[in-house]
């Protein structure tokens, strides 16, 4: 049998321990597919004494991620530490500069430094694989990078954050407030103690920036993503959406427009019968629209140790087989700077919920203000509830929340 592919694994948390487990359990299958074993030989994490679900005695311990990346006994460096800065960044750069392929699950690192790392990987003629960085177990990176080569992607959108989708699904199903669902998500381990990164849309934005780059051949531009989270969504919004035939989802949407590439993350009303509306709970989904092709939707587990480890192991299997593709599907030198289409130029349907005093002329005044801004009204639904009547005495008219439809 051919020599094993020797792995140095930095990070032994949720993903790292699952990678060790999956490589051990899938050993024979991987040999059958790749013609050689894939073996972890050295590992590192912050604390050596921490109790973990795997037996570390078989592996050499190298605490410093950059030293592990440079270790001459490893063939491939796997980074599952996280974060856009050091030590993850320095370790990945060290491995690439030493001519070692890298597999990473780190969306923050890629969204910030993806293009520079791709240049480095190409210069040293090694793979930089990151399937696990977007939508966990869904093979969307491979699909864009290797499968849709002949098709011009026009739009890509998806549910890229399981925590937000869980919260919105629970709010709708159990008629609970946002805060209650968030607490439940934290209790179940779906949301971090500080959930703002997820619920304010920044996690989705990083993943979207990576998908946009793969879809349109542009350099990653995380700063170009318009971001609005779900923390201001109320049950009243979900009810209004349902009445109009929609469901609210936090979508990441990247579209090629005449004005450039539009990248946006915001609560979106999607038709109830659409494939993406059926995706509930922590599940992720990505839809790709390409010229001459009916939309393709991939649905699956977007996070969790095993789902993410499955993507890491798939990337390792490619390296074991000798497959190397440019990290973003084309040579880095041929990736153009993104021409940003500003959100202010975005044209689409919007839902606006307003709280207004019940007196003659209120609706006319609203219509006049919208017309002044060149906004046409497709339909108006007026409600007069007791709670609105009570609140109107205290609250002046104000916009409450808005969600734009995916167009
Ligand atoms: N969890 C998921 O479902 C998921 C899904 C997709 C992608 N990802 C990505 O996968 C990566 C890892 O996520 P995770 O959930 O496994 O994180 P995690 O559970 O927090 O594990 C992080 C690991 O990195 C180690 N570490 C942290 N700082 C370090 C340092 N300075 N030097 C050496 N080791 C250090 C930690 O060591 P100790 O254990 O000693 O503290 C821990 O083992 C992140 O980039 C994340 O975005 C995760």
């Amino acid at each position: 049998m051919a020599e094993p592919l020797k792995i140095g694994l930095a990070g032994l948390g949720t993903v790292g321990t699952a990678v060790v487990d999956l490589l051990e359990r899938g050993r024979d299958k991987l040999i059958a597919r790749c013609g050689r074993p894939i073996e972890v030989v050295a590992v590192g994490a912050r604390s050596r004494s921490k109790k973990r679900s795997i037996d570390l005695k078989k592996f050499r311990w190298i605490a410093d991620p950059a030293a592990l990346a440079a270790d001459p006994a490893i063939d491939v460096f796997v980074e599952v530490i996280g974060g856009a800065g050091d030590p993850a960044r320095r370790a990945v750069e060290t491995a690439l500069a030493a001519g070692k392929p890298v597999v990473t699950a780190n969306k923050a690192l890629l969204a910030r430094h993806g293009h520079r790392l791709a240049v480095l990987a190409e210069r040293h003629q090694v793979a930089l694989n990151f399937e696990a960085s977007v939508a966990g177990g869904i093979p969307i990176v491979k699909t864009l990078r290797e499968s849709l080569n002949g098709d011009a992607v026009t739009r890509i959108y998806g549910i890229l954050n399981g925590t937000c989708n869980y919260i919105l699904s629970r709010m709708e199903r159990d008629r609970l407030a946002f805060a209650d669902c968030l607490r439940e998500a934290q209790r179940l381990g779906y949301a971090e103690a500080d959930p703002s990164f997820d619920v304010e849309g920044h996690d989705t934005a990083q993943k979207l920036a990576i998908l946009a780059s793969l879809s349109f051949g542009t350099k990653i531009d995380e700063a170009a993503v318009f971001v609005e989270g779900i923390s201001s969504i109320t049950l009243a919004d979900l009810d209004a959406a349902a009445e109009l035939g929609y469901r609210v989802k936090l979508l990441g949407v990247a579209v090629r427009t005449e004005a450039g590439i539009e990248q946006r993350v915001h609560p979106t009303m999607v038709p109830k019968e659409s494939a993406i509306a059926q995706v509930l709970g922590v599940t992720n989904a990505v839809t790709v629209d390409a010229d001459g092709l009916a939309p393709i939707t991939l649905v699956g587990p977007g996070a969790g140790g095993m789902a993410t480890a499955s993507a890491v192991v798939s990337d390792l299997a490619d390296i074991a087989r000798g497959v190397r593709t440019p990290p973003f599907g084309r040579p880095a030198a041929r990736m153009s700077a993104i021409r940003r289409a500003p959100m202010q130029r975005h044209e689409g349907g919007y839902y606006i919920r307003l709280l207004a005093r019940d007196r003659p002329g209120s609706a006319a005044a609203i219509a006049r203000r919208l017309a002044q801004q060149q906004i046409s009204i497709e339909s108006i639904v007026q409600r007069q509830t007791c709670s609105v009547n009570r609140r109107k005495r205290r609250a002046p008219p104000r916009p409450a929340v808005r969600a734009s439809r995916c167009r």
Side-chain angles (χ1 to χ4, degrees):
M1 194 179 351
E3 278 287 293
L5 184 77
K6 297 190 215 77
I7 310 297
L9 176 68
L12 292 169
T14 308
V15 180
T17 50
V19 168
V20 173
D21 193 24
L22 192 57
L23 283 175
E24 280 174 6
R25 283 196 289 126
R27 184 183 157 86
D28 292 345
K29 269 189 233 114
L30 285 164
I31 293 172
R33 277 176 173 258
C34 310
R36 60 195 291 204
I38 302 175
E39 286 175 3
V40 176
V41 295
V43 298
R46 217 168 5 204
S47 157
R48 190 168 187 175
S49 56
K50 195 172 183 175
K51 209 166 168 334
R52 304 185 197 270
S53 58
I54 51 167
D55 179 10
L56 293 180
K57 285 200 279 295
K58 295 177 271 194
F59 314 121
R60 278 191 307 127
W61 180 270
I62 304 178
D64 174 16
L68 176 55
D71 189 79
I74 69 161
D75 302 316
V76 180
F77 179 63
V78 177
E79 183 274 309
V80 279
I81 296 172
D86 294 336
R89 178 184 171 184
R90 194 162 74 87
V92 167
E93 286 174 349
T94 303
L96 295 175
K100 293 182 199 298
V102 168
V103 174
T104 177
N106 191 338
K107 63 201 164 246
L109 179 71
L110 285 156
R112 187 79 54 83
H113 305 293
H115 187 256
R116 243 171 31 81
L117 294 175
V119 170
L120 193 59
E122 278 179 34
R123 189 179 309 144
H124 294 278
Q125 298 182 17
V126 288
L128 169 61
N129 291 348
F130 48 86
E131 184 63 71
S133 65
V134 183
I138 301 177
I140 184 62
V141 172
K142 222 178 206 328
T143 300
L144 293 169
R145 188 160 83 165
E146 290 160 48
S147 306
L148 292 175
N149 278 319
D151 309 277
V153 175
T154 51
R155 179 173 73 160
I156 182 158
Y157 62 95
I159 296 168
L160 301 172
N161 184 278
T163 308
C164 291
N165 206 46
Y166 170 82
I167 291 172
L168 291 171
S169 305
R170 281 293 309 267
M171 282 175 75
E172 186 189 338
R173 195 193 68 187
D174 299 327
R175 305 207 49 73
L176 293 171
F178 171 83
D180 296 331
C181 295
L182 174 57
R183 258 193 305 279
E184 184 66 1
Q186 284 170 318
R187 193 184 66 77
L188 292 169
Y190 298 151
E192 302 285 331
D194 174 5
S196 56
F197 190 70
D198 287 324
V199 299
E200 296 307 341
H202 302 293
D203 173 81
T204 301
Q206 288 183 340
K207 294 167 180 168
L208 183 71
I210 296 169
L211 291 184
S213 177
L214 286 159
S215 301
F216 305 120
T218 45
K219 292 179 190 168
I220 291 191
D221 189 354
E222 184 189 357
V225 184
F226 168 88
V227 189
E228 180 189 329
I230 61 164
S231 57
S232 62
I233 297 287
T234 66
L235 268 177
D237 298 313
L238 302 192
D239 288 346
E243 210 173 300
L244 296 166
Y246 294 94
R247 209 166 241 161
V248 177
K249 297 287 181 194
L250 182 76
L251 291 193
V253 185
V255 200
R256 186 193 289 283
T257 72
E258 281 180 6
I261 306 290
E262 209 175 78
Q263 298 182 84
R264 47 191 164 90
V265 173
H266 50 73
T268 307
M269 285 163 70
V270 295
K272 260 189 196 164
E273 66 280 4
S274 63
I276 211 113
Q278 317 308 318
V279 178
L280 301 172
V282 290
T283 306
N284 281 197
V286 186
T287 298
V288 184
D289 291 345
D291 279 338
L293 206 62
I296 299 168
T297 299
L298 302 177
V299 181
M306 268 303 153
T308 314
S310 141
V312 170
V313 170
S314 162
D315 279 348
L316 286 171
D318 272 351
I319 293 167
R321 282 191 285 239
V323 175
R324 179 164 68 87
T325 317
F328 290 92
R330 68 187 70 200
R334 282 200 225 132
M335 293 173 74
S336 52
I338 208 162
R339 190 158 66 91
R340 296 178 180 190
M343 191 60 185
Q344 290 84 345
R345 300 271 296 272
H346 169 70
E347 284 185 18
Y350 279 79
Y351 149 82
I352 304 172
R353 182 161 63 83
L354 296 166
L355 208 57
R357 289 188 201 285
D358 184 10
R359 64 182 179 209
S362 287
I366 291 167
R368 200 168 46 247
R369 287 293 187 89
L370 292 173
Q372 281 165 0
Q373 300 298 322
Q374 307 285 305
I375 297 167
S376 70
I377 301 172
E378 193 176 286
S379 67
I380 296 181
V381 181
Q382 252 182 298
R383 293 268 174 286
Q384 188 159 33
T385 63
C386 294
S387 60
V388 169
N389 280 334
R390 268 201 306 278
R391 284 175 71 183
K392 79 181 183 193
R393 276 179 227 120
R394 282 178 274 126
R398 65 184 173 88
V401 73
R402 68 133 167 70
S404 70
R405 271 179 237 155
C406 178
R407 283 256 172 102

